[in-house]
């Protein structure tokens, strides 16, 4: 059964069987990175999605300081595996009174897996409070086509996966991470094939039925068979086997049931002489008309 499914998958991929593909970017924001401390790790903030990018950083904080003092506030993230910053944002509060700052810093798409430890800190005289740091991110759920059978390129990716893991002609491991998706894909494809075959066969069956009925009722090309003595004899035998019509032709009705009830005034019927005269005139008129056409 497994080998049959494998071959069906290979055939469907090679033949480029179509099915509806859907892919859409998903946007979101992390929770407040500075809710517990002014330094944090990114491990549990960003979703574990392939191809996720950070699109911007929202920040809100309150700085308490003397207007005569100098201070700067910096929001930073180190690059994973490096002491350099992948993200750095600095506010200059030199010689101005403290206050609350709210802003959104849009950045070019940066891969989320490059974002290391983050921090907000004051350099100079001042203190922070009410800090909120949110990372705005974007990812494509179909960045890895094998993540969902509805993703564009799923067929090609599945075929490559099977080839790379030598699963075309061998039994796959049920513990394979894509085993369920693979089997479900095959079941869906098989169901679609059966529906298409059923839809194609139904009109043909109806056509065959109509033709058979027409053949039964058709009298075309039947003259020779009717003229054939053997066919006539066979027809007579079939008619005689169907029963006789005597039961219908020998039924009689007793006339004694119906009695004459007509009564004439005067007791007799007299001839209509006026009608006789009219008929005589009509005959004479007819003879005169016909005589005009005789030679």
């Amino acid at each position: 059964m497994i080998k049959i499914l494998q071959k069906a998958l290979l055939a469907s991929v090679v033949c480029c069987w179509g099915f509806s593909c859907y892919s859409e970017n998903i946007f979101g924001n992390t929770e407040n990175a500075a809710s517990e401390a002014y330094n944090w790790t990114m491990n549990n903030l960003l979703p574990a999605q392939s191809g996720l990018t950070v699109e911007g950083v929202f920040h809100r904080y309150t700085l308490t300081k003397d207007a005569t003092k100098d201070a700067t506030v910096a929001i930073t993230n180190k690059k994973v595996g490096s002491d350099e910053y992948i993200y750095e944002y600095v506010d200059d509060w030199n010689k101005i009174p403290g206050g609350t700052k709210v802003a959104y810093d849009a950045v070019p798409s940066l891969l989320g897996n490059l974002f290391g430890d983050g921090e907000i800190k004051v350099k100079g005289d001042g203190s922070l409070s009410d800090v909120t740091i949110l990372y705005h991110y974007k990812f494509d759920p179909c960045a890895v086509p094998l993540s969902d059978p509805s993703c564009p390129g799923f067929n090609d990716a599945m075929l490559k996966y099977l080839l790379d893991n030598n699963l075309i002609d061998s039994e796959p491991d049920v513990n394979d991470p894509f085993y369920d998706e693979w089997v479900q894909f095959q079941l869906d494809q098989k169901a679609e094939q059966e529906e298409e075959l059923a839809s194609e066969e139904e009109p043909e069956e109806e056509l065959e039925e109509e033709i058979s009925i027409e053949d039964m009722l058709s009298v075309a090309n039947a003259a020779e068979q009717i003229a054939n003595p053997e066919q006539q004899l066979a027809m007579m035998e079939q008619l005689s086997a169907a029963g006789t019509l005597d039961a219908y032709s020998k039924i009689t009705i007793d006339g004694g049931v119906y009695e004459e009830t007509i009564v004439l005034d005067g007791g007799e019927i007299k001839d209509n002489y006026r009608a006789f005269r009219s008929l005589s005139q009509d005959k004479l008129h007819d003879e005169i008309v016909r005589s005009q056409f005789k030679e």
Side-chain angles (χ1 to χ4, degrees):
M1 179 63 180
I2 297 298
K3 289 185 177 180
I4 293 175
L5 291 175
Q6 290 172 338
K7 292 180 180 178
L9 173 63
L10 180 58
S12 66
V13 173
V14 172
C15 294
C16 299
W17 279 25
F19 60 138
S20 82
C21 299
Y22 179 79
S23 178
E24 183 180 70
N25 288 330
I26 295 177
F27 296 86
N29 297 305
T30 65
E31 297 179 353
N32 182 10
S35 60
E36 298 181 359
Y38 293 163
N39 51 71
W40 56 87
T41 62
M42 301 296 293
N43 294 337
N44 298 324
L45 284 176
L46 295 172
Q49 293 287 338
S50 299
L52 181 144
T53 59
V54 174
E55 303 295 314
V57 180
F58 170 85
H59 61 264
R60 179 185 185 278
Y61 63 85
T62 299
L63 177 66
T64 303
K65 66 176 288 289
D66 190 317
T68 62
K69 302 297 183 177
D70 293 339
T72 58
V73 176
I75 304 171
T76 60
N77 278 94
K78 287 186 177 182
K79 186 176 182 180
V80 172
S82 173
D83 290 333
E84 298 178 358
Y85 291 131
I86 189 173
Y87 176 77
E88 183 177 18
Y89 182 91
V90 179
D91 284 327
D92 186 355
W93 291 84
N94 291 334
K95 301 298 187 293
I96 58 175
T100 298
K101 170 73 181 299
V102 179
Y104 176 79
D105 181 28
V107 299
S109 298
L110 299 171
L111 288 175
N113 58 10
L114 298 179
F115 276 67
D117 295 342
E119 181 182 26
I120 181 172
K121 63 183 178 180
V122 178
K123 184 179 180 180
D125 295 326
S127 61
L128 292 170
S129 62
D130 300 328
V131 177
T132 299
I133 305 293
L134 304 177
Y135 293 87
H136 180 58
Y137 60 82
K138 176 186 74 173
F139 67 88
D140 180 0
C142 289
V144 177
L146 281 175
S147 61
D148 194 310
S150 65
C151 290
F154 175 82
N155 282 351
D156 294 335
M158 177 60 76
L159 176 59
K160 184 177 185 304
Y161 177 81
L162 294 175
L163 293 173
D164 292 345
N165 292 275
N166 194 29
L167 295 176
I168 295 296
D169 296 320
S170 62
E171 296 291 335
D173 185 359
V174 295
N175 295 321
D176 189 282
F178 296 107
Y179 180 82
D180 293 339
E181 288 81 357
W182 174 52
V183 173
Q184 184 60 48
F185 173 76
Q186 292 308 307
L187 294 176
D188 294 341
Q189 290 296 317
K190 185 177 180 181
E192 290 181 6
Q193 293 179 45
E194 292 177 351
E195 291 179 1
E196 291 178 358
L197 291 175
S199 62
E200 293 176 357
E201 291 177 355
E202 286 179 358
E204 295 179 358
E205 293 177 356
E206 293 177 357
L207 179 61
E208 290 178 358
E209 182 178 357
E210 293 177 358
I211 293 175
S212 63
I213 293 175
E214 291 178 358
D215 291 340
M216 292 174 62
L217 299 179
S218 176
V219 295
N221 300 322
E224 296 180 358
Q225 297 182 8
I226 295 175
N228 189 329
E230 295 181 359
Q231 292 292 337
Q232 292 181 8
L233 179 59
M235 292 169 60
M236 294 301 295
E237 291 177 352
Q238 292 178 1
L239 289 174
S240 62
T244 179
L245 300 179
D246 291 346
Y248 300 94
S249 61
K250 291 185 177 181
I251 294 177
T252 57
I253 300 176
D254 187 0
V257 176
Y258 304 97
E259 296 181 358
E260 183 64 55
T261 58
I262 299 176
V263 177
L264 301 176
D265 295 336
E268 61 179 344
I269 299 176
K270 297 181 179 181
D271 294 332
N272 187 344
Y273 296 103
R274 184 175 299 176
F276 288 155
R277 189 180 303 110
S278 176
L279 291 173
S280 177
Q281 292 176 351
D282 292 342
K283 181 178 180 183
L284 177 60
H285 178 268
D286 183 61
E287 291 177 353
I288 293 173
V289 172
R290 289 180 178 278
S291 66
Q292 297 178 4
F293 298 95
K294 294 180 179 180
E295 295 182 354

